[in-house]
């Protein structure tokens, strides 16, 4: 999802690109996070890359500043709790699909198959999913 578009009130140059007054400017976190000039293998899923030193900028999946997504905290909490429940005493693997997201009103993953393989062991409490 892109941040709220802006229009510069006067001519400005950003990153070597000239903009005229009234041009529509927008930032796409998806494109910024997948820019080949900033990342080695930008289309690979490597969350640890944000821990690597460098001038690659911040991770901004929900935008930033006054126009940050209002549901960001809820989404992060739900995702964390869902992944915890899904991965408890199991191994997840993915097959099929294309790793490149479809850009529309937001990032949309392409179809894929998620496989959940239960691990043996753990307690009866874990196996029952409580």
């Amino acid at each position: 999802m892109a941040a709220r578009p802006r229009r510069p009130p006067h001519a400005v140059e950003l990153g070597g690109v000239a903009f005229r007054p009234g041009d529509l400017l927008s930032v796409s976190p998806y494109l910024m996070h997948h820019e080949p000039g900033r990342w080695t293998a930008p289309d690979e899923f490597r969350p640890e890359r944000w821990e690597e030193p460098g001038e690659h900028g911040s991770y901004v999946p929900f935008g930033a500043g006054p126009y940050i997504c209002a549901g960001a905290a809820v989404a992060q909490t739900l995702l964390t709790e869902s992944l915890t429940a899904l991965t408890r005493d199991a191994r997840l693997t993915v097959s099929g699909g294309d790793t490149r997201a479809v850009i529309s009103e937001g990032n949309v993953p392409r179809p894929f198959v998620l496989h959940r393989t239960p691990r043996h062991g753990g307690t009866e409490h874990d196996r029952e999913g409580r």
Side-chain angles (χ1 to χ4, degrees), residues 30-31 34 42-43 97-104 106-111:
Y30 177 84
L31 294 176
H34 291 80
D43 290 327
D98 188 328
T99 59
R100 297 170 299 160
V102 175
I103 301 297
S104 59
N107 297 334
V108 180
R110 295 174 191 259

Side-chain angles (χ1 to χ4, degrees), residues 3-77:
R4 183 175 179 202
R6 304 288 184 146
R7 295 182 187 275
H10 52 80
V12 65
E13 185 175 313
L14 301 171
V17 178
F19 296 96
R20 298 178 308 237
D23 281 351
L24 189 61
L25 307 179
S26 184
V27 174
S28 168
Y30 177 84
L31 294 176
M32 187 170 60
H33 294 164
H34 291 80
E35 185 180 343
R38 291 179 180 228
W39 304 105
T40 302
D43 290 327
E44 288 182 14
F45 179 70
R46 289 185 39 238
E48 68 277 6
R49 69 183 176 166
W50 298 103
E51 298 171 358
E52 298 169 1
E55 298 295 323
H56 47 68
S58 300
Y59 179 59
V60 288
F62 296 104
Y67 301 104
I68 191 165
C69 175
V74 173
Q76 290 174 333
T77 300

